[in-house]
Amino acid sequence: MPLTENWHAIQLASGSQVLPSALQVAGLVCLPAQVPGTIAGALRATGQFVYGKDNFDEVDVWYFCDLDLPDNAACLHFAGLATHAEVYWNDSLVLRSENMFIAHRLDLAAHRISGKGRLSMRFLALNAQLAQRRPRPRWKTRLVEQQQLRWLRTSLLGRMPGWSPSVAPVGPYRPVVLELQSPVRIIDQQLTSRLDGEDGMLEIELTVHSLQAISSCFIKIGEQTAALKWQSLGENCYRILGLCRLPKVKKWWPHTHGEVTLYALELQIQTADHSQVLKLGRTGFRQIRVDQRDGDFHLYVNDVSVFCRGACWTPVDVISLQNETSDLRHMLSLARDAGMNMLRVVGTMVYETAEFYQFCDELGILVWQDCMFANMDYPVNDAEFAASITLEVQQFLQRTQVSPCIAVVCGNSEVEQQAAMLGQPAEWWRNDFFAQTLPALCLQMRPDVQYWPSSPSGGVMPFQLDSGVAHYFGVGAYLRPLEDARRSDVRFTSECLGFSNMPDDDLLDSMLENGETVGPHPAWKLGIPRDNGSNWDFEDVRDHYMAGLYQVDPAGLRCADQQRYLALARTTSGEVMASTMAEWRRAGSSCHGALIWFWRDLRPGAGWGVLDAHGKPKAAYYYLKRAMAPLTVFTTDEGLNGLALHVVNDTAQALEAELELSLYRHGTNRIAHGRISVQVAAHAAISVRDYALLPHFMDTTYAYRFGPAGHDVAVAQLYRAGSAQVLASDFHFPGGQQFAQVADLGLQAHCVMSEEGNLVLHLSTQKMAQAVAIQIPGWLPDDNYFHLAPASEKQVILRATGGTQIQTGQVQALNAQGYVQVRIPH
């Protein structure tokens, strides 16, 4: 029974009150508080939260509520207390916690807790804990300002200057649950699902407490039931064992590659006069392996090569750290709909909620799971610290043990890279905890997942791009040309392509006060990420690529025509990301995975997220959605070898299709085209050269430069065989994308309401329409910021978002001087 009602919270000077009774005597004014939640969330709920106003690490935070415990109350569970916490029943200290990632169970009878009383939690000021003298690290990181954080098991969220808003998580951020006595309850469980050939295997080892002797025990796996063995351990405790085989089981696949199949697990126990069913969650049967030959990192699921693509996950709500079920499902559905088949939970943040992994299981999204360690020299040789972090990882592995979505467990984020980049000796890069303890724990508790010691690592240097796992920011922070994505020979990048992604106008309108503007204004710069200590930020990075892509002066354009600047800013990062993703996904690429840095902004602004802080997709999201689709076509510029067309088919069905290439001059006249039939096997890709489609030689990439370019855009389109249905398309601009804005493209748009209650936006254009942007508040388009070929049509589905809906919207192409108004039907 979750304890969610009648909680209050208060902030006090560090150490000013040490007993709950003193709070009552003082008559202090308290806030109503949400549990689970944080003090920042409580302030927001009462309209008192302002970014940067409060430093929650400077104060003690108290939470308390009055309880009347029933006679059958057995224990209290604290799933997560951030960070150093004390728990009181009335004025008796009954629990201490020094690790926000560890769950605690409090036996009520053992602590003589019953009847009416006050349950209080004191969260000690973290700065007071940091002030204690401890041994210094062997190296210092710029990621955080306080190096002693390495000793304290807490999230680095809110404590990383430059890219995380200063909202430190403090409070009972995971549920507080009252457990009632039950005739049968599980004390400990170990469940392992795996494939044995075409059969599914479920290994079961449970410890249960039963008030009566067990007379029968069964496990139900989907529709199949198997008998289990048990033995008494004394004192009403039993060990239950079983190894169940499911012949020709339906396998679990990432959604891009096959069917997502889950099996419900139920334990059925019978005693002399009681029958009880205990739900053990749902599991799937799949095999995960990684090919590491020749420095590779190549993930296979069920012996099928999988190009892993997605993003580095960020919490749905960084202020409260809560996942409302509907919001979480919506966020993960957006990731799935974008063709993302892997999300990385990064070591700077938090282990996610049970619902997160359950939804990933259901939606077919693989998870790369970092343990919560990043960049620092952790004191793993300290016995108390080592015991705490070992328990932390054990608890995580146990609570997620039936989730097939977890593919990789990674020891940490950038610990090896940080040590190596600071010139430390190689023997310091990886300690025994990450090299021995963690892989042994994974082998024991999750033998079905792959372990990787650090992200990045694997080469002679941990950050070597062409070996193992890399963090790739060549295209991005290091301002390398787009060709660097191929030149770097990336094998797998678990973090890449960080850009300051510009949100849409509605987000800008909601965050900027009167007189505040996009640009160097301090209020705007708060939402722009930067590496701590650098003299540049990621808006500078985006503007660098904007200048090359569109041949403009971003700083001058921002002053002269801010709306034009915003439009180009939105598409710049999307174009660059999509181009790089195409390079990595093409047939013959050395790369087997790319995870974008990162999913959603942590605060309003132009952050790294491909979703804004309100959860709305930015332009970059739609570019990536097309580039990550399971079935798609890419073009790559091969220089004097011409244009290559790559057809990728990740699906489980072979593809019969037709591939077309068209060349256009002045955005309207088709000067050449060709169309051929193609066959692509399931889980495969092919590459076709332009000369296989065109009737004669054309300088498709404008590499030979015999006079002016013959065309300004090449359009590749993939059709279903024998059909006019366009499955995917891609555009190549041999002379760049600096198109002049014209008065009339012949762009038309109108909406009709579908039987399902969605809007269908019908678009058509006479001339090439560049980066067509749909802005209709209250409606979420399934595609946006796309190019339209001359004399083409397109339909876009728009779904209501639940926000304010207006009667008109607009559609505008990047190369048009005006916009087309769209009326919304009643």
Side-chain angles (χ1 to χ4, degrees):
M1 181 173 69
L3 299 179
T4 59
E5 304 294 332
N6 303 317
W7 286 95
H8 291 80
I10 191 170
Q11 300 180 74
L12 296 173
S14 176
S16 61
Q17 303 288 350
V18 295
L19 289 176
S21 58
L23 300 179
Q24 294 174 291
V25 172
L28 300 169
V29 178
C30 303
L31 292 169
Q34 299 76 38
V35 174
T38 64
I39 186 62
L43 288 169
R44 182 180 61 185
T46 55
Q48 301 177 55
F49 174 78
V50 178
Y51 282 104
K53 176 185 176 183
D54 298 289
N55 185 343
F56 303 117
D57 286 341
E58 287 185 344
V59 296
D60 287 352
V61 175
W62 286 83
Y63 276 72
F64 56 87
C65 75
D66 295 321
L67 297 176
D68 186 0
L69 297 173
D71 293 339
N72 62 341
C75 60
L76 282 167
H77 295 270
F78 300 88
L81 304 172
T83 292
H84 277 223
E86 299 171 342
V87 179
Y88 294 84
W89 177 252
N90 297 323
D91 272 356
S92 297
L93 178 65
V94 293
L95 176 66
R96 291 183 190 271
S97 175
E98 296 185 349
N99 185 331
M100 75 175 279
F101 306 122
I102 285 180
H104 300 273
R105 179 181 180 275
L106 185 66
D107 187 286
L108 300 184
H111 289 84
R112 299 181 180 179
I113 297 173
S114 62
K116 294 183 178 180
R118 172 164 286 193
L119 180 65
S120 305
M121 296 175 285
R122 176 194 180 198
F123 298 90
L124 284 68
L126 196 72
N127 285 352
Q129 310 300 314
L130 291 170
Q132 297 178 18
R133 293 182 63 85
R134 297 182 178 91
R136 294 180 177 180
R138 294 172 294 181
W139 72 81
K140 293 184 178 181
T141 175
R142 282 188 174 183
L143 182 69
V144 297
E145 293 180 337
Q146 176 49 264
Q147 301 298 315
Q148 295 290 17
L149 276 170
R150 73 194 187 103
W151 285 91
L152 305 183
R153 294 306 298 143
T154 189
S155 174
L156 300 185
L157 280 170
R159 302 177 176 109
M160 295 173 286
W163 67 267
S164 171
S166 56
V167 186
V170 176
Y173 78 107
R174 293 291 183 252
V176 177
V177 176
L178 175 65
E179 181 184 350
L180 304 179
Q181 293 175 3
S182 174
V184 179
R185 59 185 174 87
I186 297 174
I187 299 173
D188 185 57
Q189 69 179 47
Q190 177 67 36
L191 302 174
T192 303
S193 60
R194 57 183 173 85
L195 282 175
D196 182 13
E198 295 300 309
D199 297 347
M201 303 293 293
L202 182 69
E203 190 169 356
I204 304 158
E205 183 175 350
L206 306 173
T207 304
V208 301
H209 181 274
S210 177
L211 297 178
Q212 295 182 336
I214 296 175
S215 57
S216 68
C217 185
F218 295 89
I219 183 77
K220 186 178 181 183
I221 310 168
E223 299 302 318
Q224 181 172 320
T225 301
L228 301 176
K229 298 179 180 179
W230 67 93
Q231 61 187 74
S232 174
L233 301 177
E235 298 183 358
N236 297 326
C237 281
Y238 296 84
R239 176 177 289 121
I240 297 173
L241 301 170
L243 180 61
C244 305
R245 178 180 292 272
L246 279 72
K248 295 183 179 179
V249 72
K250 289 185 177 180
K251 299 174 184 177
W252 184 95
W253 291 90
H255 73 95
T256 50
H257 285 68
E259 186 177 352
V260 181
T261 303
L262 294 171
Y263 291 82
L265 305 177
E266 291 183 354
L267 184 67
Q268 303 171 347
I269 293 181
Q270 182 73 46
T271 63
D273 55 9
H274 180 77
S275 178
Q276 189 159 341
V277 175
L278 300 172
K279 295 185 181 299
L280 304 179
R282 295 192 297 173
T283 195
F285 296 91
R286 87 297 178 257
Q287 180 196 57
I288 303 286
R289 68 177 177 89
V290 171
D291 186 348
Q292 299 179 38
R293 291 174 295 180
D294 300 322
D296 213 347
F297 188 97
H298 190 173
L299 191 139
Y300 288 78
V301 179
N302 304 330
D303 284 328
V304 170
S305 169
V306 172
F307 185 94
C308 301
R309 68 274 193 175
C312 296
W313 177 257
T314 43
V316 171
D317 181 4
V318 72
I319 295 174
S320 70
L321 289 184
Q322 299 312 296
N323 291 334
E324 293 293 335
T325 298
S326 59
D327 292 341
L328 179 61
R329 177 179 282 278
H330 176 61
M331 288 295 99
L332 291 172
S333 295
L334 283 175
R336 177 205 56 195
D337 294 346
M340 296 184 178
N341 60 18
M342 177 175 274
L343 295 170
R344 175 178 168 220
V345 181
V346 186
T348 52
M349 302 193 189
V350 293
Y351 300 101
E352 269 297 341
T353 61
E355 275 193 321
F356 171 85
Y357 301 101
Q358 290 164 6
F359 284 152
C360 287
D361 290 340
E362 178 184 326
L363 296 172
I365 300 174
L366 297 164
V367 173
W368 174 297
Q369 176 68 55
D370 284 2
C371 298
M372 293 300 116
F373 304 91
N375 293 72
M376 293 184 285
D377 179 26
Y378 290 95
V380 299
N381 292 326
D382 179 89
E384 186 177 347
F385 185 88
S388 177
I389 59 178
T390 299
L391 178 59
E392 165 191 324
V393 177
Q394 285 175 328
Q395 287 190 351
F396 169 76
L397 293 174
Q398 184 170 53
R399 73 180 176 89
T400 58
Q401 61 188 301
V402 297
S403 285
C405 69
I406 299 178
V408 178
V409 172
C410 180
N412 62 72
S413 172
E414 295 190 346
V415 169
E416 293 187 20
Q417 171 178 290
Q418 188 77 87
M421 281 191 163
L422 292 174
Q424 302 303 318
E427 58 267 23
W428 287 9
W429 299 350
R430 185 182 303 171
N431 58 47
D432 289 345
F433 182 74
F434 300 122
Q436 299 176 19
T437 304
L438 276 185
L441 282 176
C442 287
L443 185 61
Q444 174 192 349
M445 304 184 72
R446 286 300 305 258
D448 60 312
V449 306
Q450 294 292 312
Y451 175 77
W452 195 252
S454 186
S455 178
S457 65
V460 176
M461 284 289 178
F463 44 86
Q464 185 176 334
L465 298 177
D466 60 356
S467 186
V469 173
H471 287 184
Y472 177 80
F473 294 98
V475 175
Y478 303 122
L479 309 183
R480 302 289 295 171
L482 299 189
E483 294 80 10
D484 188 72
R486 182 179 297 193
R487 186 180 303 122
S488 294
D489 198 24
V490 174
R491 305 305 179 90
F492 190 106
T493 173
S494 54
E495 187 175 307
C496 63
L497 300 177
F499 288 91
S500 171
N501 292 307
M502 186 67 70
D504 284 347
D505 286 340
D506 49 0
L507 189 282
L508 301 182
D509 293 341
S510 72
M511 65 171 286
L512 294 175
E513 303 290 340
N514 186 33
E516 298 175 356
T517 60
V518 172
H521 193 285
W524 173 252
K525 284 299 184 183
L526 288 174
I528 305 299
R530 67 165 62 239
D531 287 332
N532 192 26
S534 68
N535 60 1
W536 54 270
D537 61 32
F538 280 80
E539 190 159 66
D540 299 325
V541 172
R542 186 197 64 228
D543 286 357
H544 167 83
Y545 287 95
M546 182 197 299
L549 187 65
Y550 295 112
Q551 297 298 299
V552 297
D553 171 22
L557 185 62
R558 185 169 55 220
C559 296
D561 188 348
Q562 187 169 93
Q563 285 305 308
R564 180 66 173 169
Y565 170 81
L566 292 175
L568 296 181
R570 291 183 182 115
T571 59
T572 292
S573 57
E575 291 281 356
V576 172
M577 287 181 177
S579 174
T580 307
M581 190 63 65
E583 174 59 49
W584 287 335
R585 287 192 71 195
R586 66 180 172 83
S589 169
S590 65
C591 186
H592 307 298
L595 306 179
I596 303 297
W597 183 259
F598 50 42
W599 172 244
R600 176 174 171 169
D601 285 350
L602 298 176
R603 63 167 298 161
W608 281 311
V610 298
L611 269 60
D612 68 24
H614 296 167
K616 179 182 177 182
K618 302 181 189 179
Y621 168 89
Y622 290 102
Y623 278 92
L624 288 170
K625 181 177 183 179
R626 294 186 289 271
M628 292 181 174
L631 185 61
T632 192
V633 62
F634 302 121
T635 60
T636 58
D637 186 333
E638 302 299 328
L640 295 177
N641 286 321
L643 201 62
L645 287 71
H646 308 274
V647 181
V648 179
N649 177 26
D650 281 344
T651 73
Q653 292 78 39
L655 173 67
E656 297 282 341
E658 294 176 3
L659 182 61
E660 182 180 76
L661 178 62
S662 300
L663 307 183
Y664 295 90
R665 181 186 296 136
H666 306 315
T668 183
N669 300 322
R670 186 163 74 172
I671 62 170
H673 83 284
R675 186 162 173 165
I676 62 172
S677 296
V678 293
Q679 295 80 37
V680 188
H683 308 142
I686 64 169
S687 180
V688 179
R689 294 302 176 122
D690 52 8
Y691 51 73
L693 290 94
L694 298 177
H696 53 78
F697 170 74
M698 302 287 293
D699 189 5
T700 54
T701 58
Y702 194 43
Y704 289 92
R705 299 182 180 272
F706 297 152
H711 65 286
D712 44 38
V713 60
V715 182
Q717 290 189 301
L718 186 68
Y719 296 85
R720 191 168 299 282
S723 166
Q725 179 189 0
V726 177
L727 299 174
S729 60
D730 195 27
F731 292 70
H732 178 259
F733 304 93
Q737 294 202 40
Q738 59 275 19
F739 289 96
Q741 290 178 284
V742 298
D744 185 13
L745 297 175
L747 182 63
Q748 297 183 349
H750 72 277
C751 276
V752 297
M753 190 70 70
S754 72
E755 295 181 356
E756 295 79 15
N758 300 320
L759 288 180
V760 181
L761 177 63
H762 294 262
L763 295 164
S764 63
T765 186
Q766 292 303 309
K767 298 181 180 180
M768 162 73 192
Q770 184 185 18
V772 177
I774 302 167
Q775 301 285 350
I776 305 179
W779 297 89
L780 180 68
D782 67 352
D783 198 6
N784 208 349
Y785 296 96
F786 47 80
H787 305 309
L788 277 179
S792 66
E793 299 179 351
K794 184 179 177 71
Q795 292 184 11
V796 178
I797 306 298
L798 298 100
R799 294 176 173 83
T801 62
T804 302
Q805 297 175 6
I806 62 173
Q807 296 304 306
T808 60
Q810 65 182 46
V811 174
Q812 184 169 18
L814 205 60
N815 60 331
Q817 292 178 357
Y819 62 84
V820 177
Q821 190 175 69
V822 180
R823 295 191 177 278
I824 309 303
H826 295 288

